[in-house]
Amino acid sequence: MKNIKQTDVEIYDIIKSELKRQRNTLELIASENFASYSVIESTGSILTNKYAEGYPGKRYYGGCESVDMAEDLARDRLKELFNAEYANVQPHSGSQANMGVFNVFLNHMDTVMGLDLAHGGHLTHGSKVNFSGNMYNFISYSVLEETGRVNFDEVWEKAKKYKPKLIICGGSAYPRFVEFEKFKEVADSIGAHLMGDVAHPSGLIAAGVHPSPWPYCDVITSTTHKTLRGPRGGMILLGKDFENPWNKIAPKSGRIKMVSELLDSSIMPGIQGGPLMHVIAAKAVAFKEALTDEFKEYSKQIVRNAKAIADEMLKLDYKLISGGTDTHLILVDLSDIGVSGKMAENKLEDAGITVNKNMVPFDKKSPMITSGIRIGTPAVTTRGMKEKDMTKIAKFIDQVLKNPSDEQNIRKIKHEVNEFCASFPIYEDL
Ligand SMILES: *Cc1c(COP(=O)(O)O)cnc(C)c1O
């Protein structure tokens, strides 16, 4: 960073201060991770200069020989990783990937069903403040209050009543395995397509520690920066490509044959222009990493770590939605201990522990306050932490939440957290 230090000391200082934060705090946000040096180098490379609208071999710009190879590698590695017939690595984010799929599988104001945001869904699954809620007729299903798991009676009932064209499974705060097979049964019964939004567990799926979406989902979308540990971005996959069932027509060439072609043109030119070739190269790097045995072991450790935090929190009398976890995250309901999610997030941050406040199912508080926090283990597992370290982390959290107004105690814990982090160094070469 010798250049930026000279030309823009303000941004240089900001990056340095963020580096310091990442090194010295416990990162428990379930959607965050620490990408490798190789991923970061690719993201910071001169590939950012290249315009490459289109797809490999079919670009609207010259000079694409090198970036074509990068995108081909990214797609091939991704297909191998997920045992998929088709991959699109151009979506700038998970939200863009979802928009790209909706654009193909739905027409304006078509009915579509997804998990309620307050029950673990995502903004792009029909929130009124998101394009999805404005462009489509979203019906939400929820989880059962007693079990915290998807209420399949409700899913069946609403599917029969509203006949959605598309059902979306997966979410942002669902601690259990996504029930692909059960959703497929519902989708088949009404002739709907099934989309898996696996933005959260995709790394676990790639590593084989979460059930595969195939052969149940027609299409899946994901981010590349959560459990997959790549650069910030999105992707779309088809397990098997299939013939365009909607008889969609291209303005010049007539009927489009395959859904893969529709997805490609939905992303570009449909909703995006030039792809981020530096990010696509970094995705290729991350997919290569994810194909290794180390990554499989890493993913297993993520889940062991999440279970270890869950066990300790339960011992300390916390209420966990669904009573535990199968994945990389837990959702803690704080309503019984009289601390809001917002207050917990703030106080934990003061103690050097980063989590996010989160709605819990049937939450009585607003989305800006909330009754819960979400805790995830992908980032701390990347630092090399194991089960015994998770027990320690659960205790740190407990000490803050049980005495939220004891500032002196919080300062003491912050000091201990700093020392703890120092024994798991990260980005020492930066
Ligand atoms: C994170 C997430 C997304 C969107 O990802 P962005 O890259 O932030 O746009 C979409 N769906 C789900 C379920 C997510 O958790």
Side-chain angles (χ1 to χ4, degrees):
M1 296 214 296
K2 57 185 190 299
N3 294 291
I4 196 168
K5 190 174 177 182
Q6 288 192 348
T7 63
D8 192 337
V9 75
E10 287 142 297
I11 286 294
Y12 174 81
D13 286 344
I14 289 167
I15 295 173
K16 278 284 171 194
S17 107
E18 172 60 11
L19 176 62
K20 193 169 159 206
R21 189 192 69 81
Q22 294 189 12
R23 282 177 177 157
N24 298 338
T25 58
L26 278 172
E27 185 53 74
L28 296 171
I29 292 180
S31 46
E32 293 190 14
N33 213 328
F34 298 115
S36 69
Y37 289 129
S38 304
V39 165
I40 289 170
E41 278 173 11
S42 310
T43 313
S45 72
I46 47 82
L47 297 183
T48 191
N49 297 333
K50 189 69 198 100
Y51 243 115
E53 280 182 1
Y55 290 92
K58 294 172 285 188
R59 304 285 193 188
Y60 295 84
Y61 288 82
C64 287
E65 312 80 58
S66 305
V67 293
D68 273 7
M69 289 191 278
E71 187 163 351
D72 277 334
L73 261 182
R75 295 196 296 194
D76 289 345
R77 288 173 181 172
L78 182 55
K79 285 191 274 186
E80 183 184 348
L81 191 57
F82 283 86
N83 191 15
E85 220 169 85
Y86 160 85
N88 190 309
V89 295
Q90 291 197 4
H92 299 331
S93 73
S95 298
Q96 244 77 12
N98 287 352
M99 191 181 216
V101 169
F102 296 166
N103 214 9
V104 170
F105 284 74
L106 299 168
N107 292 313
H108 187 225
M109 280 309 163
D110 271 352
T111 301
V112 43
M113 192 159 82
L115 179 59
D116 190 328
L117 178 61
H119 289 238
H122 186 257
L123 272 176
T124 54
H125 301 180
S127 163
K128 285 290 163 217
V129 294
N130 183 261
F131 79 92
S132 56
N134 293 315
M135 287 183 57
Y136 306 104
N137 176 33
F138 258 90
I139 307 291
S140 296
Y141 58 87
S142 46
V143 299
L144 280 164
E145 193 157 14
E146 313 82 71
T147 62
R149 305 200 185 216
V150 171
N151 181 348
F152 277 95
D153 289 340
E154 183 192 12
V155 173
W156 275 103
E157 193 185 310
K158 288 189 169 167
K160 290 210 168 101
K161 182 163 173 200
Y162 298 106
K163 296 270 187 312
K165 281 195 171 170
L166 181 69
I167 297 177
I168 306 171
C169 56
S172 301
Y174 193 62
R176 298 297 178 173
F177 289 150
V178 183
E179 306 86 343
F180 300 119
E181 195 171 354
K182 287 189 179 174
F183 278 105
K184 169 70 171 165
E185 223 183 295
V186 182
D188 276 352
S189 78
I190 54 164
H193 285 110
L194 181 62
M195 164 179 158
D197 180 345
V198 296
H200 264 267
S202 52
L204 307 181
I205 292 170
V209 303
H210 183 294
S212 166
W214 319 131
Y216 311 111
C217 293
D218 296 293
V219 59
I220 65 171
T221 58
S222 180
T223 57
T224 49
H225 50 274
K226 296 178 182 174
T227 50
L228 258 179
R229 206 164 59 179
R232 189 159 294 281
M235 66 194 217
I236 303 173
L237 295 173
L238 295 173
K240 292 252 177 295
D241 198 2
F242 54 102
E243 274 199 38
N244 163 14
W246 310 281
N247 289 318
K248 293 201 181 182
I249 307 277
K252 290 210 176 83
S253 46
R255 182 176 181 273
I256 298 165
K257 192 149 184 283
M258 303 303 286
V259 171
S260 56
E261 297 168 70
L262 290 169
L263 287 168
D264 275 352
S265 54
S266 171
I267 291 295
M268 207 307 296
I271 61 171
Q272 292 185 175
L276 311 174
M277 290 317 304
H278 53 308
V279 176
I280 288 174
K283 286 175 182 174
V285 170
F287 300 152
K288 181 171 178 177
E289 291 172 1
L291 282 161
T292 60
D293 288 341
E294 285 96 319
F295 189 82
K296 288 194 180 72
E297 184 45 39
Y298 161 67
S299 303
K300 284 183 195 154
Q301 189 63 48
I302 290 180
V303 177
R304 286 197 290 264
N305 282 351
K307 286 184 193 289
I309 292 201
D311 288 347
E312 189 63 24
M313 297 295 283
L314 289 170
K315 263 191 222 158
L316 293 164
D317 266 347
Y318 287 88
K319 186 176 162 206
L320 305 186
I321 301 304
S322 86
T325 181
D326 299 327
T327 64
H328 60 298
L329 71 87
I330 64 173
L331 191 56
V332 190
D333 183 349
L334 299 171
S335 23
D336 290 348
I337 68 163
V339 180
S340 71
K342 181 179 179 198
M343 171 135 159
E345 179 188 298
N346 286 336
K347 295 294 174 180
L348 287 168
E349 182 162 4
D350 291 345
I353 300 170
T354 320
V355 302
N356 63 285
K357 62 178 175 285
N358 213 101
M359 299 280 273
V360 296
F362 309 96
D363 207 320
K364 292 182 186 69
K365 296 197 168 81
S366 76
M368 289 311 290
I369 308 291
T370 82
S371 300
I373 51 171
R374 189 182 64 162
I375 298 177
T377 53
V380 288
T381 307
T382 296
R383 290 186 81 147
M385 295 178 190
K386 300 268 163 49
E387 290 93 320
K388 63 177 188 333
D389 308 305
M390 299 302 117
T391 310
K392 218 174 209 174
I393 291 174
K395 286 182 175 142
F396 284 141
I397 293 172
D398 178 58
Q399 286 166 33
V400 175
L401 297 185
K402 296 253 165 92
N403 312 286
S405 41
D406 185 345
E407 300 297 332
Q408 200 185 336
N409 184 48
I410 289 177
R411 270 197 302 278
K412 182 180 133 262
I413 294 167
K414 186 185 175 116
H415 186 71
E416 289 174 33
V417 165
N418 282 168
E419 284 193 344
F420 182 64
C421 288
S423 50
F424 296 92
I426 186 101
Y427 296 141
E428 286 176 289
D429 301 349
L430 296 183

